């Protein structure tokens, strides 16, 4: 095997575009693996680990772009590197030709458009807080999609924003909806009178879509970032979001979604809730019930949070008729693209008496060391699956290897899947899954899925569900219902 | 410098400056939202520590 590198100095292209190009290179004749990445230390470590970096390229800086190809022959590697160079040339020409004016900085953008009120930031994590700080200092609210932002940067940025009366959503904020506008990975949900404040992107997506399915709607969904309700960050953005929503006349009810927060943050949040004129549903996934003020109700799952928010009973959804899972098998295998959906399924199965292991275990589940005598639920968005690769919501093939293994595993009776659609997500995740399932053997496990999305999403929920049903998949109305249905099928 | 007020975000239309993934700009444009894409490249010659320091100094 030959590894060839090229470094293009001071050249930036966003990570999604680079991944798209990398996949084309990886598919070329004789190429074993290929990647194009910005030369940050984290990216260089990933490329080195994958055998895509030689000593030469290691001198690249964070602002340089590295092309790395591992191939059978020198000629194949060189051909791929040439193709990469051609694609980069094309990308830069395209940007130059575009007639639209592009400022080089947030400062210039704000100087030209004084009504700018939000900066959406998705640059590499090492630079994201610096960009957000520039935005805050110019009076903008910020949404930081980037992950890998240092914790101390998150804290100081959020403190500075709070002192200016500004909101920082994130870092690692995948989903927000402001005034009906979906930002990053969000769904097209109707307007209504319910707001969501969430530390989890897929949690916000599931709850907002279930609210839409119940013929209600959303005013705003504010993502605060996965670390906001930890002791270290102290719920700075959560409290700021609740303050903003308190003055929002369109919002009557607020749903708060998080993993169980630290005690001190839980206390602060509950104090804010008690002082509010609005009513609340508090969904601390995996927490026991909480002592709450009279204007708040507790939900243990995303599904019950959505139903309580619209005034229904938590179990008020009709389940499809269970099918019979293959006999003589006991295990459920869950393959999730959404971390919070994986957590919710673990809670549903644990509460129904199942022993659950996971690479991202909730309280009550075990770490994924010995899966033989337990249901195994995998979060495929976790770092070990996504380092140097797109998230499974963007690239559903991240799930392929685990799905193929589960389909031929003679201990697995039911496979549980989540399909998350909406803006930012893959344009046809159900089609991708259906293609894989078409090749399954007759005695393969029963496959159950939920589709998180709405009819107005670009992929359209019912079209995605229909594709899966044609491939033999049993569709549940929600992620929690899919987990409950899996057990019902096992027990038939 | 803008004088942002908290209520600005939730009560009026969004005016977005997008720094990073172009697909987010395209999505917003398709929805009719006012968005400007920054032609971003890593500042401070790609040195995150220096970039952080510069942002704190207001550069």
């Amino acid at each position: 095997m030959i590894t060839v590198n090229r470094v293009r100095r001071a050249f930036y292209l966003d990570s999604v575009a680079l991944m798209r190009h990398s996949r084309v290179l990886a598919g070329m004749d004789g190429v074993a693996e290929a990647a194009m990445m910005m030369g940050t230390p984290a990216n260089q470590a990933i490329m080195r680990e994958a055998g895509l970096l030689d000593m030469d390229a290691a001198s690249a800086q964070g602002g340089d772009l590295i092309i790395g190809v591992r191939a059978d022959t020198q000629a194949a590697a060189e051909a791929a590197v040439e193709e990469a160079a051609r694609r980069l040339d094309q990308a830069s020409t395209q940007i130059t030709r575009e007639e639209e004016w592009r400022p080089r900085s947030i400062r210039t953008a704000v100087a030209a458009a004084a009504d700018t009120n939000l900066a959406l930031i998705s640059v590499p994590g090492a630079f994201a807080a610096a960009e957000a700080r520039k935005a805050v200092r110019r009076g903008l609210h910020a949404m930081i999609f980037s992950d890998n932002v240092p914790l101390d940067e998150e804290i100081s940025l959020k403190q500075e924003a709070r002192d200016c009366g500004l909101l920082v959503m994130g870092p690692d904020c995948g989903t927000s909806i402001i005034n009906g506008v979906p930002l990053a990975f969000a769904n097209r949900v109707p307007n209504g009178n319910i707001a969501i404040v969430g530390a989890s992107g897929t949690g916000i997506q599931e709850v907002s879509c279930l609210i839409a399915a119940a013929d209600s709607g959303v005013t705003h969904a504010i993502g605060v970032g996965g670390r906001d309700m930890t002791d270290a960050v102290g719920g700075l953005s959560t409290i700021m979001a609740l303050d903003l929503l308190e003055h929002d006349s369109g919002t009557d009810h607020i749903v708060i979604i998080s993993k169980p927060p630290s005690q001190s943050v839980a206390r602060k949040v509950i104090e804010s809730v008690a002082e509010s004129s609005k009513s609340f549903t508090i969904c601390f996934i995996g927490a026991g019930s909480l002592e709450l003020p009279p204007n708040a109700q507790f939900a243990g799952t995303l599904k019950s949070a959505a139903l309580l928010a619209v005034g229904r009973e938590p179990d008020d959804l009709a389940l499809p008729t269970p099918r019979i899972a293959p006999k003589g098998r006991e295990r459920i295998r869950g393959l999730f693209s959404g971390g919070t959906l994986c957590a919710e399924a673990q809670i549903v199965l644990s509460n129904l008496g199942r022993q659950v292991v996971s690479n991202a275990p909730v309280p009550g589940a075990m770490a994924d060391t010995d899966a033989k005598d337990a249901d195994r639920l995998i979060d495929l968005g976790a770092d070990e699956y996504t380092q140097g690769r797109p998230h499974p919501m963007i690239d559903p093939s991240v799930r392929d290897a685990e799905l193929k293994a589960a389909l031929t595993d003679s201990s697995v009776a039911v496979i549980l899947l989540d399909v998350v659609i909406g803006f930012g997500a893959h344009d046809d995740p159900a089609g991708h899954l259906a293609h894989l399932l078409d090749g399954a053997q007759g005695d393969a496990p029963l496959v159950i899925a939920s589709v998180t999305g709405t009819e107005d999403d670009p992929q359209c929920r019912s079209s995605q569900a229909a594709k899966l049903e044609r491939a033999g998949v049993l569709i549940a109305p929600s992620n929690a219902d899919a987990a409950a249905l899996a057990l019902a099928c096992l027990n038939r | 410098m803008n004088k942002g007020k908290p209520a600005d975000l939730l009560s009026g239309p969004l005016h977005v400056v997008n720094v990073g993934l172009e697909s987010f700009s395209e999505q917003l444009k398709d929805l009719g939202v006012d968005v400007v894409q920054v032609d971003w490249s890593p500042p401070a010659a790609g040195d995150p520590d220096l970039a952080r320091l510069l942002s704190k100094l207001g550069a």
Side-chain angles (χ1 to χ4, degrees), chain A residues 4-6 8 25 28 31 36 67-69 74-90:
Chain A
V4 172
N5 289 120
R6 289 281 186 284
R8 193 165 280 213
L25 301 187
M28 288 176 69
V31 174
M36 294 161 76
I67 304 163
V69 176
Q74 185 78 28
E78 292 290 349
V81 167
E82 285 308 311
E83 174 61 18
R86 194 187 65 74
R87 287 172 164 268
L88 294 179
D89 290 341
Q90 206 173 28

Side-chain angles (χ1 to χ4, degrees), chain A residues 191-275:
Chain A
N191 290 327
N193 64 347
I194 301 168
I196 303 171
V197 177
S200 144
T202 45
I204 291 177
Q205 289 191 269
E206 176 77 351
V207 171
S208 61
C209 291
L210 292 176
I211 288 172
D215 296 324
S216 289
V218 167
T219 48
H220 314 282
I222 298 175
V224 294
R227 294 186 301 215
D228 192 69
M229 294 196 218
T230 60
D231 249 341
V233 185
L236 285 165
S237 292
T238 303
I239 300 297
M240 176 60 81
L242 294 179
D243 284 349
L244 292 181
L245 290 169
E246 177 64 20
H247 299 103
D248 182 54
S249 58
T251 297
D252 296 323
H253 187 85
I254 301 170
V255 182
I256 301 175
I257 306 166
S258 172
K259 289 185 285 192
S262 72
Q263 274 195 346
S264 67
V265 175
R267 200 164 46 240
K268 269 192 236 175
V269 170
I270 290 166
E271 274 170 19
S272 274
V273 167
E275 287 165 9

Side-chain angles (χ1 to χ4, degrees), chain A residues 381-439:
Chain A
D383 286 348
E384 61 263 39
Y385 292 98
T386 53
Q387 210 159 53
R389 294 195 65 175
H391 191 277
M393 276 160 56
I394 302 174
D395 178 3
S397 69
V398 175
R399 186 152 45 185
D400 289 3
E402 290 286 351
L403 180 55
K404 284 178 188 164
L407 283 168
T408 54
D409 187 330
S410 60
S411 71
V412 176
V414 179
I415 298 173
L416 264 179
L417 302 173
D418 63 341
V419 176
V420 183
I421 59 171
F423 292 99
H426 188 266
D427 57 8
D428 186 15
H432 180 90
L433 283 170
H435 181 69
L436 274 181
L437 295 173
D438 274 347

Side-chain angles (χ1 to χ4, degrees), chain A residues 40-107:
Chain A
T40 59
N43 285 346
Q44 291 202 34
I46 291 165
M47 291 183 80
R48 196 171 298 113
E49 182 81 8
L52 285 167
L53 193 66
D54 63 18
M55 293 304 290
D56 228 11
S59 66
Q61 305 295 306
D64 303 332
L65 195 151
I66 306 176
I67 304 163
V69 176
R70 194 152 46 83
D72 297 338
T73 63
Q74 185 78 28
E78 292 290 349
V81 167
E82 285 308 311
E83 174 61 18
R86 194 187 65 74
R87 287 172 164 268
L88 294 179
D89 290 341
Q90 206 173 28
S92 61
T93 321
Q94 218 165 9
I95 289 171
T96 322
R97 274 194 200 143
E98 276 180 15
E99 285 173 15
E100 183 188 312
W101 171 72
R102 289 187 169 199
R104 298 296 303 272
S105 67
I106 290 175
R107 182 171 52 185

Side-chain angles (χ1 to χ4, degrees), chain A residues 12 14 95 98 100-106 109 120 122-123, chain B residues 16-29 34-41:
Chain A
Y12 173 78
D14 77 48
I95 289 171
E98 276 180 15
E100 183 188 312
W101 171 72
R102 289 187 169 199
R104 298 296 303 272
S105 67
I106 290 175
L120 175 52
S122 54
V123 299
Chain B
V16 180
V17 54
N18 186 51
V19 194
L21 300 176
E22 294 217 25
S23 52
F24 291 163
S25 271
E26 286 154 21
Q27 170 185 323
L28 290 170
K29 266 185 224 159
D34 180 21
V35 56
V36 172
Q37 172 74 33
V38 169
D39 183 14
W40 188 83
S41 57

Side-chain angles (χ1 to χ4, degrees), chain A residues 316-329:
Chain A
D316 188 16
L317 271 182
L319 280 188
T321 312
R323 286 190 206 148
I324 300 170
K327 291 292 170 201
R329 304 175 178 193

